[in-house]
Structure formats: structure tokens, C-alpha cells
Amino acid sequence: MVPKDYVIGVEDILNVVFWRDKELSAEVVVRPDGKIFLPILNDVQAAGLTPLQLAEALQTAAAKFVLDPGATVIVKEIRSRKVYVVGEVTKPGTFPLANDMNVLQIIAEAGGFLEHANKDEVVIVRNENGQE
């Protein structure tokens, strides 16, 4: 279960359920432009919203077509949060970032350090407000 304040991101998988009209319901992937596609509603902005905010927006949009649509958004899979591990580890690559993971746990996910890795030279780079 995701926290209430979770913000939907690109590549997340969502279950959108309309209680009054199952034909509008769908499992969707958030596209690189941050939008999802739903029947009748077409493209809807999802990235940057919480599931509750998106559900409210979908309910408002669907109200033009369905009486009291009752929309719910469930985050099925978080794919937007990931880290990239490169360098002297067993399995460099991209790894999903679960809540509250630390650097040691991510290095363990990457198979740990290689024998001759310089563990004192680990560099963490993160983007904040679009800057490294």
C-alpha cells in the first residue's frame, strides 16, 4: 500500500475503477508525458498528482458522461522511483527504490561490491529540482 501523499510518476501502473461504469475502468501505465489514456475521457494528466487527486479529477471528467461515476485510483505498481548503480558492483543496473531504502540496501540489491572496489570512493548523485 502506498502512503496517502504518494505522488504518481511516469511508468507507474494504476488501476482506475469507476463503480458506476465498468467500461471506463482500466489498468493503465503513466506515459512519459505524464498522462494516461482512458476510454471516453482520452488523455488525462496523472503524473504529479496523488491517487486521491487523480480520482477526483477523473470523477469530475467522467461526470459529463456518467451519473455519479465514483472513481477510485489504485497504484498497482510503483515504477517511477528507481536508482541506477554503476561501477564496482556485481550487478550494475537499474533498481526499484522502495520506501525507506538506504544506500547499503541498494548496493546489496546490486550484488555488493567487487573484491577490489574502493569503498571509500562511493558517490551519490541525486536530482533535486532538476539539478544534480
Side-chain angles (χ1 to χ4, degrees), residues 1-8 49-53 75 99:
M1 187 167 163
V2 298
K4 281 184 154 187
D5 61 347
Y6 177 74
V7 176
I8 297 167
L49 301 176
T50 66
L52 183 59
Q53 290 170 329
V75 179
N99 283 342

Side-chain angles (χ1 to χ4, degrees), residues 87-90 112-122:
E88 297 295 312
V89 292
T90 305
F113 290 111
L114 294 176
E115 184 178 342
H116 300 292
N118 188 346
K119 298 172 189 107
D120 294 331
E121 296 294 323
V122 173

Side-chain angles (χ1 to χ4, degrees), residues 5 28 34 36 38 41 44 48 57 77-78 83 94 98 127:
D5 61 347
V28 294
I36 58 174
L38 290 167
L41 302 180
V44 179
E77 192 175 330
I78 297 173
V83 294
T94 305
N127 286 320

Side-chain angles (χ1 to χ4, degrees), residues 5-62:
D5 61 347
Y6 177 74
V7 176
I8 297 167
V10 171
E11 295 183 17
D12 285 348
I13 299 175
L14 311 174
N15 273 335
V16 178
V17 179
F18 289 92
W19 299 107
R20 302 260 189 236
D21 192 340
K22 299 293 185 200
E23 292 178 15
L24 286 175
S25 300
E27 181 175 297
V28 294
V29 177
V30 181
R31 300 186 319 231
D33 64 358
K35 295 181 180 182
I36 58 174
F37 178 84
L38 290 167
I40 300 175
L41 302 180
N42 298 318
D43 291 337
V44 179
Q45 182 65 37
L49 301 176
T50 66
L52 183 59
Q53 290 170 329
L54 178 56
E56 290 171 356
L58 293 172
Q59 193 161 312
T60 300

